[in-house]
Amino acid sequence: MRLYTIEADDIQYVAVENREKKPVTLESLGIRVKDMNELIVRYDELRDGIEKALSVNENAGMEAGKYRIKAPVPVPMQDIICLGVNYRAHIEETTDVLDFTKKADAVYFSKRVNMANDPDGIIPAYDLVDSLDYEAELGVILKKDAFDITAGEAAGHILGYTIINDVSARNLQFKHQQWYRGKSLDGYTPMGPCIVTADEIGDAHDLAIRCYVNDEKRQESNTGYMITTVEEAIAELSQGMTLKSGTIIATGTPGGVGMGMKPPVFLKKKDVVKCEIEGIGSLVNSVG
Ligand code: MG
């Protein structure tokens, strides 16, 4: 399934895509959930009912132009957990800033997301940021609590996948040693356009991932190049710490960020950043 949060007449709805690739609100299928967070937690309970209702309501899809696509999880339940330097090419391009070439273990940090930015939202250009950068990443959403699980058990905890642009203020990221503030400004987490459930994505570690700035290709890789896999990260993080249902993990960015260019090239107002992942879709955000 492809799960969306959409907005029509200023009201947000959770929706699922039908065979015609049109969103159908769960409400129109007689399934009531408050928001995507409730669907995430109750997904296993509601899935069969959604599929059945969808199959008998073929004409319930909303027409283009009647709705706007929002971030699938507009208000995440917790900070997003991020993997840092999880692609070899990104490690190698950033050695001038921080040398992670000898790292043996995954780098984890987090990102405050009071409100996720929409797939077509504006990334704010703040005066306090002189080095605005993009990071196309595969996002993972957990549907079940995970504690002390193995990598082999992790798949059963994954609801699905989305695209996250881990927008970063490099000057703030490194000024404060900890990366938290530089990653957490309002509008710095474009997400979407939907959640593709795990049963529909195929192999999450064989997806093309790309980023363009003003149509210039900056990042081009494959999720198969992740150093720590999705399942390994979930298993490791779950040792001694419960990953609650609704946890979102951003799995790191490939090479090609602005900071890694020689000389660095950062985003400026009116730039348009497009992040795309095979099988999920794309985020197209301008800087303003
Ligand atoms: Mg990142």
Side-chain angles (χ1 to χ4, degrees):
M1 271 191 267
R2 299 172 73 87
L3 307 171
Y4 287 85
T5 294
I6 60 172
E7 187 175 275
D9 298 327
D10 293 326
I11 299 172
Q12 285 188 11
Y13 300 91
V14 179
V16 56
E17 192 176 273
N18 69 8
R19 259 187 282 173
E20 297 172 314
K21 302 199 179 302
K22 292 176 182 168
V24 179
T25 66
L26 295 194
E27 189 176 290
S28 72
L29 298 175
I31 295 162
R32 304 216 175 263
V33 292
K34 189 161 72 68
D35 53 21
M36 186 66 82
N37 287 335
E38 183 177 344
L39 177 58
I40 290 169
V41 172
R42 298 179 59 200
Y43 181 74
D44 281 348
E45 165 202 338
L46 296 175
R47 182 185 58 195
D48 289 352
I50 294 171
E51 283 179 344
K52 196 170 167 195
L54 201 55
S55 69
V56 296
N57 286 274
E58 279 296 316
N59 301 315
M62 291 178 79
E63 297 297 332
K66 303 269 189 197
Y67 62 90
R68 269 197 63 214
I69 297 174
K70 305 291 292 176
V73 190
V75 183
M77 289 184 245
Q78 296 181 313
D79 283 3
I80 290 180
I81 300 175
C82 303
L83 276 86
V85 286
N86 197 30
Y87 287 76
R88 180 65 50 195
H90 183 50
I91 292 177
E92 286 167 2
E93 73 181 352
T94 52
T95 50
D96 294 352
V97 187
L98 275 177
D99 189 353
F100 280 104
T101 50
K102 294 187 178 62
K103 86 173 176 91
D105 293 301
V107 172
Y108 298 114
F109 62 98
S110 69
K111 188 174 172 80
R112 171 59 52 93
V113 187
N114 291 327
M115 178 88 70
N117 204 341
D118 295 331
D120 63 351
I122 305 288
I123 298 169
Y126 297 102
D127 288 342
L128 75 166
V129 177
D130 66 8
S131 41
L132 183 65
D133 212 347
Y134 52 85
E135 295 188 351
E137 307 196 8
L138 179 69
V140 184
I141 296 105
L142 301 192
K143 62 182 178 181
K144 285 199 312 195
D145 291 2
F147 184 77
D148 277 351
I149 64 165
T150 65
E153 292 165 336
H157 295 257
I158 297 170
L159 168 66
Y161 298 87
T162 191
I163 307 170
I164 288 174
N165 184 347
D166 177 19
V167 177
S168 305
R170 300 301 184 193
N171 59 320
L172 300 182
Q173 182 182 351
F174 298 116
K175 175 185 179 188
H176 298 287
Q177 303 294 318
Q178 299 280 326
W179 302 355
Y180 191 72
R181 185 176 178 226
K183 298 277 189 173
S184 297
L185 303 191
D186 290 0
Y188 272 21
T189 309
M191 182 199 296
C194 60
I195 299 169
V196 181
T197 52
D199 58 331
E200 186 156 327
I201 198 86
D203 183 355
H205 292 95
D206 187 16
L207 303 174
I209 177 168
R210 301 184 193 90
C211 181
Y212 301 81
V213 177
N214 304 329
D215 293 328
E216 178 192 336
K217 196 191 291 172
R218 295 282 185 85
Q219 299 188 281
E220 180 170 37
S221 187
N222 187 289
T223 55
Y225 289 110
M226 274 183 215
I227 297 168
T228 301
T229 67
V230 169
E231 291 80 9
E232 288 167 350
I234 293 169
E236 181 164 72
L237 287 163
S238 81
Q239 303 307 306
M241 175 173 81
T242 304
L243 295 176
K244 299 287 289 178
S245 171
T247 292
I248 302 174
I249 301 172
T251 55
T253 201
V257 300
M259 171 174 69
M261 295 172 75
K262 310 280 186 265
V265 178
F266 294 110
L267 295 171
K268 53 190 189 309
K269 279 187 186 175
K270 296 189 179 168
D271 280 350
V272 177
V273 187
K274 179 180 181 185
C275 299
E276 63 181 26
I277 297 181
E278 183 182 3
I280 303 177
S282 59
L283 310 173
V284 183
N285 301 94
S286 55
V287 179

